[in-house]
Amino acid sequence: MILTGIGLSALLLHRNLIRKVMGLQVAVSALCLFMTAHCRAAGLVLPEGLLMTALASSCALTAIALALTLRLYRHYGVLDVDKLQSVIKGHEHEPEQEQDNDLKHEDEMAELWNEILQLRHERELEAERERELELQLMQEREHEHELELELDSLRSWQEGDYREGELTHDERDSITLTFEEREENRKSDSESEERA
Amino acid sequence: MSGMFRSLNDLLAEIPLLSILLPLFMSAIVSVPWNKNGDRDQRGADLWTCITVIVLLLLSLILLPTLLYGERGVHSISCSGGELQAGPLEVLFALTFSIVMLLVLLGNMRSMHEDVQAPRHAPYQGVILLLFSGLMAMVYTNNLLTAWIAIEVVLIAACALTAAKGGGDAARAAVRLLVMSAAGSSLILLSICLLYSMTGALSFPEIKIALTRLLATKQNGLQILIALNLIVIGLAIKSALFPFSSWLPEAHGSTTNASSAMLSGLVTKGHIILILKVLFRVLDPDVIKFLRIDQELLLLGLLSMIAGSLYALRQTNIKRMIAWSSVAQVGYIFLGIGMNTEAAVAGACLHIIVHATVKPMLVTAAGGLIDVSGHRKSFRALKGSFYRNRWAGLGLVAGACSMMGVPSFAGFASKLSLTLAALDSPAIIQALAALTLSSVLNALYYVPAMIVILTPNEGGEHISHSIDGMYQWVMAIFLALTFFLGLYCVPVLSVIEIGLKAL
């Protein structure tokens, strides 16, 4: 019980965050020791479930507490609670001045937050634009691929690989003849019709 | 046919266990990053979290009528070998928690995505489910071991939720919450150890039998008093009762809207429910009176009602004001428990439900107003914000009216039942004086807040911020619930009374 008292007083009264965490561990471990000793002395069944849970949860809490302490230290550079307060709010202010500082601090925070949101928004827009460009690029590649295929088929036809009967006369003409040749053919056809 | 009914009843008896295990299991599933694409993970986590809460809501809805109209007048069921017990009161609390949790999740989805981005978003949703599992365990527990585990789970989840936004302020608030709550947990553990050493039992009914025997033979009187006081003080620290409430405003000011709503709407209520269970399932009202625990709670409640309101008056930040208002409202609940009459405890239970519903609405509404005011939380910046987000403005006005106790709003019903209960209580003068003074103080800080948001901000900077449809739906449901609890509180009170008898 004395150990538990020491642990709890360290948790509540010490100014150093690491010592507070140590106090928590000491308090919980002391309670587990007390229970084990008391159950043995009184002939009670040891509540293993309770003790194991207490130990496991105190470990989890210690891990979280240390992680948060580390984050605080990285952010403010101090571990002492009093110094932390003074770093955040400055030394003793008059109430009105303190309120003004709070408002200024809030305005600064809000501006920063708005900037962060703006940057996030811009980043999202940029990502969207990138996605659109990628899509456009893919479409262009597909088109290019289709053109390549067409070109290949033309080349193969020119080389005489095509098989007779697969293309109609007009289709073959549309692929092979140039514009002028097609115009000439059209003219000669119309003349022959007129003659007829 | 009877076999089928028996199996159905067996199935219903497992609902409390399922209500604890399902969110616990889903929290592990949701937290795992399944895809390389963080965006898909976020949406999946949101979806599964909401589905889990909806399932629990439906399970509570199924269980409540079964218990109310139970066979042979039996209104409670126990499962898992008596480790858990469900009566109408427990299921009503579980139903309220499920509805509020769902509305908080849906209403604050957008702000959650803004504040907690991938890859932290999916674990954040997992922690929310972990918290929900702990709260369900607190509601249904019939055993000090389960209660202790639930307390620790809720503490860990609450710390993670507070620190989720990132940055130094959130870490500071989380450390303060952790230190205060860990001290509370240590006191509770010490109390459990003392009770076990005296009674050799951990389940509530067994402890009750052993304590009655010990008190009848006048053995270990001082030890019993110390153990019960330690557990009550430990839980009072976690319920943000003044003077142990400094962690709540700090956490409110620096965390996400959803976390704020859960902390003041659900986490504090979970611990108060546990106090109710420990006091009324382990001790008789006469024993509570004999040990003078009711007087302590009454005193702390009165102190909290006045001090919470006085601190709220000094605030220039809307979220801190709401947090201190929560401290005052928790005082009302303790006042009801401290009066230690059937009507007063029923009034306290109604106030738990009312506050668990209205406070998240206020926080969600304040979040909406802050969003349309350039993310500034001071009243100066919130001027005219009602016209920039009318749904949020309506929510804040309705919530404020409810907290002040304006007729037809939810708060009026619970305050009226507490006032009526005070008339039959020995502490009539103190209770009525505190209720009147606290209501006046509530008006002194909520009315200026309403005036500020309703005054048009001519010439001020125009901040455009789109409001999503889901937010509007959520606020509409919150408003409907506020009016429902204010106008039709009699059925809810009757369920509470049946539940208290079955406790």
Side-chain angles (χ1 to χ4, degrees):
Chain A
M1 293 303 263
I2 294 167
L3 267 178
T4 310
I6 291 169
L8 275 175
S9 58
L11 178 66
L12 293 172
L13 302 177
H14 256 293
R15 312 312 300 164
N16 189 299
L17 286 170
I18 301 281
R19 286 186 185 175
K20 276 181 186 289
V21 178
M22 285 164 72
L24 171 70
Q25 272 289 347
V26 169
V28 176
S29 307
L31 277 172
C32 292
L33 273 175
F34 163 75
M35 270 305 275
T36 315
H38 184 85
C39 288
R40 189 167 181 159
L44 286 168
V45 182
L46 190 70
E48 301 101 339
L50 180 71
L51 298 184
M52 291 305 286
T53 314
L55 287 171
S57 65
S58 80
C59 284
L61 272 182
T62 307
I64 291 176
L66 287 174
L68 289 171
T69 309
L70 188 67
R71 195 197 278 184
L72 271 181
Y73 185 72
R74 279 183 185 156
H75 207 269
Y76 296 112
V78 284
L79 283 174
D80 189 290
V81 181
D82 289 336
K83 283 180 188 168
L84 192 67
Q85 290 288 346
S86 60
V87 166
I88 293 161
K89 286 203 169 177
H91 294 289
E92 295 176 7
H93 291 294
E94 292 295 315
E96 283 177 18
Q97 199 184 336
E98 194 176 312
Q99 213 171 55
D100 285 347
N101 282 347
D102 278 355
L103 290 174
K104 271 184 203 166
H105 177 65
E106 197 200 37
D107 282 348
E108 282 167 16
M109 290 282 288
E111 274 168 26
L112 277 172
W113 182 241
N114 283 332
E115 271 177 36
I116 289 168
L117 284 182
Q118 187 70 30
L119 282 170
R120 276 184 197 166
H121 185 62
E122 278 172 16
R123 206 170 58 197
E124 277 170 16
L125 281 177
E126 217 167 279
E128 205 172 315
R129 219 175 296 143
E130 261 178 35
R131 275 201 295 273
E132 275 173 16
L133 281 172
E134 269 179 23
L135 200 71
Q136 210 175 326
L137 197 69
M138 274 174 65
Q139 280 173 352
E140 276 174 13
R141 273 184 193 154
E142 272 176 24
H143 188 61
E144 199 181 314
H145 186 64
E146 278 171 17
L147 285 175
E148 272 175 11
L149 283 174
E150 206 173 317
L151 197 68
D152 282 350
S153 67
L154 275 173
R155 276 182 191 148
S156 59
W157 184 82
Q158 275 177 347
E159 284 164 12
D161 269 356
Y162 81 98
R163 277 169 292 183
E164 200 74 47
E166 275 188 0
L167 295 174
T168 63
H169 181 75
D170 290 338
E171 280 172 346
R172 203 165 59 224
D173 278 359
S174 69
I175 295 166
T176 53
L177 300 180
T178 59
F179 181 74
E180 288 85 10
E181 284 170 340
R182 253 182 266 157
E183 282 295 306
E184 276 177 23
N185 282 351
R186 205 157 49 81
K187 276 179 190 170
S188 61
D189 286 348
S190 59
E191 278 170 13
S192 58
E193 275 174 17
E194 276 171 18
R195 270 181 223 145
Chain B
M1 198 68 181
S2 66
M4 202 176 85
F5 276 120
R6 203 175 301 134
S7 63
L8 191 67
N9 281 339
D10 290 347
L11 212 62
L12 287 172
E14 294 307 322
I15 285 179
L17 183 64
L18 194 64
S19 302
I20 298 165
L21 291 184
L22 183 68
L24 194 66
F25 175 72
M26 288 307 293
S27 77
I29 300 284
V30 161
S31 307
V32 177
W34 292 103
N35 299 300
K36 284 179 184 173
N37 185 351
D39 197 36
R40 272 176 65 190
D41 262 351
Q42 282 189 47
R43 277 185 223 145
D46 292 342
L47 184 71
W48 283 110
T49 308
C50 289
I51 288 173
T52 310
V53 177
I54 289 170
V55 169
L56 293 194
L57 196 159
L58 293 175
L59 288 175
S60 305
L61 270 178
I62 294 167
L63 193 56
L64 187 59
T66 317
L67 291 172
L68 280 175
Y69 311 109
E71 289 172 33
R72 297 185 296 278
V74 177
H75 293 299
S76 67
I77 48 170
S78 60
C79 70
S80 309
E83 304 291 318
L84 303 174
Q85 187 167 350
L89 191 63
E90 284 95 337
V91 182
L92 187 65
F93 285 139
L95 184 66
T96 311
F97 282 8
S98 308
I99 293 171
V100 173
M101 181 63 95
L102 185 64
L103 291 176
V104 167
L105 284 172
L106 294 175
N108 295 292
M109 195 65 83
R110 183 170 159 170
S111 68
M112 270 196 284
H113 278 276
E114 280 178 2
D115 292 334
V116 188
Q117 292 204 318
R120 284 186 297 160
H121 187 82
Y124 180 74
Q125 295 284 0
V127 171
I128 288 175
L129 283 176
L130 189 69
L131 177 87
F132 198 48
S133 169
L135 288 172
M136 286 292 135
M138 276 184 182
V139 168
Y140 287 121
T141 182
N142 193 30
N143 179 306
L144 278 176
L145 174 61
T146 318
W148 164 253
I149 296 169
I151 288 167
E152 290 300 284
V153 167
V154 168
L155 168 57
I156 290 166
C159 280
L161 287 179
T162 309
K165 198 173 177 179
D169 283 350
R172 194 159 53 97
V175 166
R176 182 170 281 204
L177 163 66
L178 192 138
V179 170
M180 293 290 287
S181 289
S185 294
S186 303
L187 294 181
I188 295 166
L189 184 61
L190 183 58
S191 164
I192 294 173
C193 291
L194 285 172
L195 283 173
Y196 183 78
S197 65
M198 284 182 286
T199 62
L202 284 172
S203 78
F204 292 149
E206 286 174 18
I207 294 174
K208 185 175 186 171
I209 294 164
L211 281 185
T212 313
R213 199 180 56 235
L214 286 172
L215 285 169
T217 53
K218 294 184 179 172
Q219 285 179 329
N220 303 87
L222 186 66
Q223 257 183 303
I224 293 170
L225 191 65
I226 290 170
L228 290 171
N229 274 312
L230 283 175
I231 201 164
V232 167
I233 291 170
L235 288 169
I237 292 173
K238 287 163 173 284
S239 317
L241 189 71
F242 194 82
F244 317 112
S245 54
S246 61
W247 59 268
L248 188 67
E250 192 87 20
H252 260 273
S254 49
T255 189
T256 63
N257 286 335
S259 301
S260 288
M262 284 171 212
L263 283 176
S264 72
L266 305 178
V267 172
T268 54
K269 305 300 168 299
H271 293 101
I272 296 173
I273 291 168
L274 212 49
I275 291 184
L276 270 174
K277 295 190 92 164
V278 169
L279 287 182
F280 294 99
R281 207 173 268 174
V282 171
L283 302 170
D284 288 324
D286 295 337
V287 177
I288 297 171
K289 208 168 276 176
F290 173 70
L291 294 171
R292 298 189 178 199
I293 295 170
D294 55 347
Q295 288 182 17
E296 280 169 37
L297 291 177
L298 185 79
L299 194 68
L300 284 172
L302 292 174
L303 191 67
S304 197
M305 280 164 73
I306 308 298
S309 295
L310 286 174
Y311 272 97
L313 265 172
R314 291 177 56 197
Q315 302 306 317
T316 53
N317 176 322
I318 189 168
K319 285 186 93 176
R320 279 176 176 270
M321 186 199 81
I322 291 172
W324 279 112
S325 159
S326 289
V327 175
Q329 300 300 322
V330 166
Y332 281 85
I333 300 167
F334 275 85
L335 174 82
I337 301 170
M339 283 194 276
N340 195 20
T341 60
E342 206 170 294
V345 178
C349 290
L350 183 63
H351 202 65
I352 290 176
I353 292 167
V354 165
H355 192 248
T357 312
V358 175
K359 193 56 70 165
M361 179 178 81
L362 264 172
V363 175
T364 309
L369 295 177
I370 289 165
D371 281 347
V372 292
S373 307
H375 295 279
R376 290 175 173 89
K377 293 168 192 163
S378 63
F379 286 114
R380 193 187 57 174
L382 291 174
K383 195 177 172 191
S385 53
F386 180 90
Y387 305 101
R388 298 194 286 273
N389 185 348
R390 282 173 193 271
W391 281 102
L394 275 175
L396 193 93
V397 170
C401 288
S402 182
M403 292 291 111
M404 286 187 289
V406 175
S408 82
F409 288 92
F412 175 72
S414 56
K415 286 188 180 180
L416 181 68
S417 53
L418 281 172
T419 311
L420 290 175
L423 295 175
D424 297 331
S425 154
I428 175 170
I429 298 168
Q430 301 95 309
L432 286 181
L435 279 165
T436 315
L437 184 61
S438 181
S439 293
V440 170
L441 288 172
N442 281 348
L444 279 177
Y445 57 84
Y446 273 121
V447 170
M450 283 196 285
I451 290 171
V452 165
I453 66 159
L454 285 165
T455 308
N457 188 13
E458 286 158 9
E461 56 176 328
H462 180 74
I463 298 150
S464 64
H465 193 282
S466 61
I467 300 144
D468 56 337
M470 184 62 82
Y471 184 86
Q472 295 174 6
W473 276 107
V474 166
M475 288 315 295
I477 297 169
F478 265 134
L479 286 169
L481 281 173
T482 307
F483 283 111
F484 172 77
L485 286 170
L487 297 169
Y488 302 101
C489 65
V490 179
V492 183
L493 260 175
S494 61
V495 174
I496 289 170
E497 277 161 10
I498 297 169
L500 279 173
K501 278 174 193 150
L503 200 67

